[in-house]
Structures are given as structure tokens and as C-alpha cells.
Amino acid sequence: RLLLLAAVAGAVMGTQVVRAGSKDDHERARAAVQAGQVLPLPVVLERLQRSHPGQVLELELEQHKGRWIYEVRLMQADGQLLKIELDAATAQVLEVRRR
């Protein structure tokens, strides 16, 4: 399972802390971006903010059945916590769960 975690301070384009599950995971994610299979993280976050404004608390990039998926935990201004799944190639919102 490929895993990237990102904590975004303040605004979406703020400082990001990114950790990968292993070096291979990091390299697979980089290769997917370079091959055009996955949108770069700043592009995904900018598009996400248009439809679901808030502070990104956690982000995972996973591959399910050959499809790359970004899973995002986001806190909205009203305190609502969302878990959002996005198609990593298009940034299309696939699922939103409120917690």
C-alpha cells in the first residue's frame, strides 16, 4: 500500500511535511506523477479547495486495482471533519464522508 502523509499548515499552499511508507513508495509516487498517471499534489490541493475549502490534515496516495486515489482528511471552517477520496489523475471527487 502506497502511503504519503501531508500536514498542511494554514492555507493549502503552506508548508507541507511529507512522509512516505518506504523509499520504494516515494519513488513509485514520483514515477506516477512523472508518467502523468497522478496529478502533482499542489494541483490536487488547489482543485480540492474550490469544492471543499478547509485545512488538509492528512493525505494518502494509494493504488487500488490499478487506479491511483488520493484520500484526504480535511477540517472545514465550521469544525466539520471530512474524508474525501479523489481520482489522482483528474482530482475528481469520488466520495465524501463526514465524521
Side-chain angles (χ1 to χ4, degrees), residues 12-34:
V12 169
M13 297 305 169
T15 305
Q16 298 177 11
V17 178
V18 178
R19 285 180 263 151
S22 74
K23 186 173 181 172
D24 290 342
D25 287 348
H26 178 75
E27 293 304 321
R28 286 181 57 216
R30 181 187 313 255
V33 170
Q34 290 175 342

Side-chain angles (χ1 to χ4, degrees), residues 22-92:
S22 74
K23 186 173 181 172
D24 290 342
D25 287 348
H26 178 75
E27 293 304 321
R28 286 181 57 216
R30 181 187 313 255
V33 170
Q34 290 175 342
Q37 297 172 326
V38 173
L39 289 172
L41 186 55
V43 172
V44 171
L45 293 176
E46 187 270 327
R47 291 182 185 178
L48 178 63
Q49 285 299 302
R50 289 184 205 161
S51 61
H52 296 84
Q55 182 178 1
V56 174
L57 303 175
E58 185 177 312
L59 182 132
E60 296 179 19
L61 175 61
E62 300 179 335
Q63 196 170 24
H64 295 284
K65 299 180 183 176
R67 183 180 194 182
W68 290 97
I69 304 291
Y70 279 112
E71 293 181 1
V72 181
R73 282 193 174 77
L74 183 135
M75 173 104 38
Q76 294 185 309
D78 64 0
Q80 183 82 31
L81 184 63
L82 304 178
K83 183 174 181 182
I84 304 169
E85 289 189 5
L86 304 162
D87 182 305
T90 65
Q92 176 185 356

